[in-house]
Each structure stands twice: as C-alpha cells, then as structure tokens.
Amino acid sequence: MSFDNFTYKGATFCVSVHSEEILKKVEDEFQVLDDDIFNITYPKSGTHWMSEILNLIKQNGDPTFVNSIPMWSRSPWYETIAGYDEAEKLTSPRIISSHIPYHIFSKSFFKSKAKVVYTMRNPKDVIVSMFYFSKILKIFKEPESFEAQLENFFKSNGMYGSWFDHVKGWMQMAGKDNFFYITYEELQQDLRGSVVRICKFLGKELNDEEINSVVKYSSFKVMKENKMSNLTQIPDDVLDKSKGTLMRKGVSGDWKNHFTVAQSEKFDKDYQENMKDLNIKFFWQE
Ligand code: PPS
C-alpha cells in the first residue's frame, strides 16, 4: 500500500487526510474533557466495531443514534482534517475515534480523567484486512501483491507508521486506571463478556436487556447492514464500492488463507524480535 504521504514525528500520514497543522493542534491544543472516551486503534484493528459498541453503551443499548448518524460524525477521527472540528463540537460525553500514535496524543489528556479504550488485533489479520481495504480506498495505490503488502508492514511506512511502535507506545499506559485494552479476538470470542468489561471500565451500569441490545446491534451481521456504520454512504470518489466493502469478512484468522507457511514463519520470527521488550502476551498468541 502506498499513498502521497508526509512524516510527522516519525510516523507516516496521508496528505489528503492529515495535515501537520491539525496534528500539532491534536497534540498541543485539543482540550480533552474529563468525560471524554477515546476509541484508539491501529488501522484495521476493529475501530468501527468498538465505536459502535461505545456509542451503543452510551445510549443504553438504544440503536436509534447509531442508526441515524454516520459513524464519522458521531465519533470522528479527530486527528484528520475532516474530523478535528467535528470532534470539538460533539455533545459530552464525547466518544472520539483515533489511530494516533501514543507519542502524538493530546497532552491535555494526561491532566484529565478522560479514558482510553485501545483495541488491538492479530497483526497478521490487520495486514490481510488492509490488503483488501487498499483496493477500495482511492487514496491508496493498489498493492502489487500480498507479498508486497506484507513487506510494507515491516517498513513502517504504512499509514500511522509502524504497528509495533503503535502497540508498544500505547502499552505504556497498561495498568493505568483510565486505560483499558482489549483485542479484536476477545470481542470475537465473547462479545457479551467484553461489553460487560467495557461497561465496568466506563462506570456505566446497563441491565441485561440493554447489554443484549449492545451485543445485537454491534454484531457483524447488523453492522454490515447499517448504512450509518458500513461506510456505504462515503462518496464513490473516495471509496470504490464496486471492489469491496469495509465490512469484509469480520473474522479472526483469515490470515491462514493468505500467508504461506514460509511467510508465517518469517513473520513470527520478525514479530518476536520487534516485540521482545514488551512483557505482555496478547490473546491471539494464546
Ligand atoms: S479502519 O478503516 O482502520 O477504521 O478499519 P477498522 O474498523 O479498524 O477495521 C475494519 C475491520 O473490522 C471488521 N469489523 C468487524 N468485525 C467483526 N464484527 C464487527 N461488528 C465488525 N465491524 C467491523 C471489518 O470487517 C474489517 O475486518 P476484515 O477482516 O477486513 O473483515
């Protein structure tokens, strides 16, 4: 995947989506409020899914809001040119999405009581998901091959920089009261249990019926049909919907259909090397 890019503080950004001016504002000027909730991920790790879950929790399981307001308006990506002003205007408690690397995150967060939910996904599935998304998002030049996509992953020149830097950066927050991390695989394995854990972290008490409703409306099947969540409302000059969709497969382990044994073994070796300093084992490794 390649695109017209620029580098800001060591991470790669896209000229048509980001600007240095907005990134500076994100870091230095954005006023984080005590009741803000940040939905943070590396791309293709479950951003839309977590956004839906958080917004449904905020609405006590009532789907009216997520069925009537587009994803990018209810929880904008605040580090983007299009999302920054929208995020500032949200009604509190604001749910703000972002792929921002930890070292560029808003400084005012660290003086606030705001919370971060950080969602990660098996990087092999991140690569597969990105491979297909690169074919439909028009700002990307279509990858020559899966092999090329895989190689790029280790070159750190993907959007938002290196997956390893992103995860290791955000994991510096692990153990803090206002930071909760979860994996896409845990959401897959036990969505209801995950929703209960997220509610507990947010201090939000939902009854059984409300939790069931969060689970129902954030399921892949329902989200895929929700025009406000599935990106089908994005104009054709941005997303070539004839070639695919954001809501592609929604499964864990699709990498097994794409990686050769040799590619997988090499990936595992490189992964170990890059992650050797982090003493956290993630769910997909178990
Ligand atoms: S983005 O563009 O970076 O914000 O993409 P992101 O939302 O992080 O990731 C897209 C992948 O998440 C899958 N997805 C889901 N999986 C399961 N259940 C639900 N409800 C759900 N919603 C989104 C989506 O299908 C993409 O994964 P792939 O593997 O490509 O299908």
Side-chain angles (χ1 to χ4, degrees), residues 214-242:
V214 173
V215 172
K216 175 178 171 188
Y217 290 102
S218 64
S219 71
F220 184 78
K221 202 163 159 265
V222 173
M223 275 186 70
K224 195 175 165 67
E225 297 306 318
N226 183 354
K227 288 192 177 62
M228 296 297 150
S229 308
N230 62 14
L231 295 194
T232 50
Q233 304 284 309
I234 296 255
D236 288 340
D237 60 333
V238 178
L239 216 58
D240 186 347
K241 284 158 258 167
S242 68

Side-chain angles (χ1 to χ4, degrees), residues 43-49 121 129 184 218 247-250:
K44 313 320 290 181
S45 302
T47 329
H48 287 73
W49 195 2
R121 186 180 192 184
S129 184
Y184 180 97
S218 64
M247 304 294 293
R248 191 184 62 90
K249 273 196 177 173

